[in-house]
Amino acid sequence: MLYVIDQRLKAQQIAKDKSVQVIHDVTSVLLDPKFIDSLLNGSKHNNAQLLTVEHCKFMLNDIATCSVMRIDEQSMGKLWNLMTMLYKWQLFVSKHQHHLLEITFRHLEAINKMYPDSKRHMLIDFTKNTLLDFWNASGEEAQLSIYNTNKAWLECFNTKISLLIRLGFQAMDGSFFKEVDQEYFGDYVQTIGDNMYVKSEEAHQQSAREPNSMDKLAAQLNISPLPAGEDLQPINARQFQEQFEQAFGNVLFDEGHSSTSTGCEFVQLQTAARTNTEAPHSRRDSILNQNLIDLYSKMA
């Protein structure tokens, strides 16, 4: 979730101070010790039940909007699809139950690199220690059960994600490729859980410099190569558009848009001036965040 939010903040050129505030506020609620403890303690009960999809959506929507950021319903749906599908892919390429802990720790390390400060560093260290204690105390059988349950919970999600398609990891029917020819695939597998937006941007810049980048695009669009010696012919725009839509229709595109784009306002920051009777922003955020923490601490 934080990977996507950070990517959207940068894509819409949100001021750095507001971006820092959003990431810090969301991290503070997401990794609050009471919240983490409530999730772990709740899973230890004999009658413990999996959180439903709707419960998770409601919870993460509250956490994502605990700061100055506002997300409309459509954008929250896109955020949810990106979260679930990227996590599903991470578990898809994993091979062992202990990879689940490695993925989680890489998530935490990547969060630590997003506008780091001492408070966030302490929260991340506490979360690592808490999760490690829980994992070690679970035993091999319970660890395998947790791993398999995560994979099974994600089975119902099958959204096409342009990031994964562009990297060559996902097919146009939404399934994942078990074997990928790209030489950079191994690097992604060895570092499952890293921020894929950062890694894919580096790969994208490198592929843009390669002379055969247009050939790869033509292959994705099923465009036959021009026979040797044949002159170039004018493009039939309507035919090309139909071919493009057939190949990439209904794909969830998550590339960045300019700050003036009105197609998808993923982040909507409050800009209204504060009145004299309004409580200080930091105090209101503190009250809101504490209410969220208290609410989810009662889930156990």
Side-chain angles (χ1 to χ4, degrees):
M1 178 174 68
L2 283 165
Y3 293 171
V4 178
I5 291 175
D6 182 56
Q7 187 263 352
R8 296 305 303 157
L9 289 168
K10 292 177 179 177
Q12 294 188 5
Q13 300 178 358
I14 302 300
K16 185 176 180 179
D17 60 334
K18 288 188 172 67
S19 298
V20 171
Q21 181 183 349
V22 168
I23 297 298
H24 283 183
D25 288 348
V26 175
T27 305
S28 295
V29 176
L30 189 64
L31 300 183
D32 184 88
K34 289 176 61 180
F35 179 46
I36 299 297
D37 284 339
S38 70
L39 292 174
L40 298 181
N41 292 332
S43 67
K44 296 176 184 177
H45 294 171
N46 293 331
N47 59 346
Q49 307 227 346
L50 288 174
L51 297 179
T52 66
V53 171
E54 291 306 316
H55 192 166
C56 283
K57 280 185 176 181
F58 177 81
M59 179 176 65
L60 291 172
N61 179 71
D62 275 358
I63 295 174
T65 56
C66 69
S67 185
V68 295
M69 182 176 61
R70 294 296 174 262
I71 307 178
D72 59 32
E73 184 176 353
Q74 180 182 9
S75 295
M76 188 63 209
K78 292 183 178 181
L79 173 60
W80 172 260
N81 287 330
L82 288 165
M83 283 190 290
T84 53
M85 290 305 296
L86 290 176
Y87 182 47
K88 182 179 180 179
W89 179 83
Q90 290 169 354
L91 292 186
F92 175 80
V93 296
S94 66
K95 302 298 182 183
H96 193 274
Q97 62 208 53
H98 294 298
H99 288 162
L100 180 61
L101 191 65
E102 294 179 12
I103 291 170
T104 306
F105 273 37
R106 286 200 183 98
H107 285 167
L108 292 170
E109 280 300 322
I111 294 172
N112 199 21
K113 296 176 183 178
M114 292 182 185
Y115 316 113
D117 72 350
S118 57
K119 181 180 179 181
R120 250 53 57 176
H121 185 72
M122 291 176 61
L123 280 175
I124 289 168
D125 280 348
F126 174 85
T127 304
K128 283 183 177 179
N129 292 331
T130 302
L131 291 174
L132 188 59
D133 291 342
F134 170 78
W135 185 257
N136 290 335
S138 297
E140 290 287 330
E141 185 176 346
Q143 291 170 2
L144 181 60
S145 176
I146 294 170
Y147 175 67
N148 289 333
T149 301
N150 269 260
K151 298 183 76 170
W153 195 90
L154 293 162
E155 277 302 311
C156 63
F157 303 109
N158 202 38
T159 309
K160 292 177 285 187
I161 305 297
S162 67
L163 173 62
L164 296 175
I165 292 175
R166 186 175 70 242
L167 291 171
F169 301 160
Q170 187 180 28
M172 293 307 300
D173 62 359
S175 62
F176 299 132
F177 292 115
K178 292 184 178 180
E179 297 181 2
V180 180
D181 294 332
Q182 285 89 334
E183 59 182 16
Y184 56 79
F185 177 69
D187 179 53
Y188 278 87
V189 173
Q190 294 299 320
T191 58
I192 319 171
D194 277 357
N195 191 331
M196 289 189 69
Y197 286 101
V198 174
K199 294 176 69 69
S200 66
E201 181 62 25
E202 295 172 353
H204 180 67
Q205 292 176 356
Q206 180 178 357
S207 64
R209 294 191 293 268
E210 295 177 357
N212 62 342
S213 59
M214 290 303 296
D215 294 338
K216 293 180 180 178
L217 177 60
Q220 283 185 298
L221 294 176
N222 297 319
I223 299 176
S224 302
L226 194 67
E230 184 173 328
D231 293 334
L232 293 174
Q233 300 296 324
I235 294 177
N236 186 317
R238 181 179 296 276
Q239 182 180 2
F240 180 84
Q241 181 178 357
E242 291 176 353
Q243 192 173 12
F244 183 87
E245 290 176 351
Q246 182 179 2
F248 287 94
N250 300 321
V251 177
L252 178 58
F253 285 91
D254 54 288
E255 282 76 20
H257 297 278
S258 68
S259 58
T260 58
S261 172
T262 57
C264 176
E265 293 299 323
F266 188 90
V267 178
Q268 299 176 2
L269 298 176
Q270 290 180 332
T271 57
R274 185 186 305 154
T275 63
N276 292 332
T277 59
E278 188 177 5
H281 179 77
S282 59
R283 180 182 175 187
R284 287 178 302 149
D285 280 353
S286 176
I287 294 173
L288 175 59
N289 292 355
Q290 189 59 49
N291 288 340
L292 286 174
I293 293 167
D294 291 341
L295 172 63
Y296 297 123
S297 295
K298 297 175 183 177
M299 288 193 305

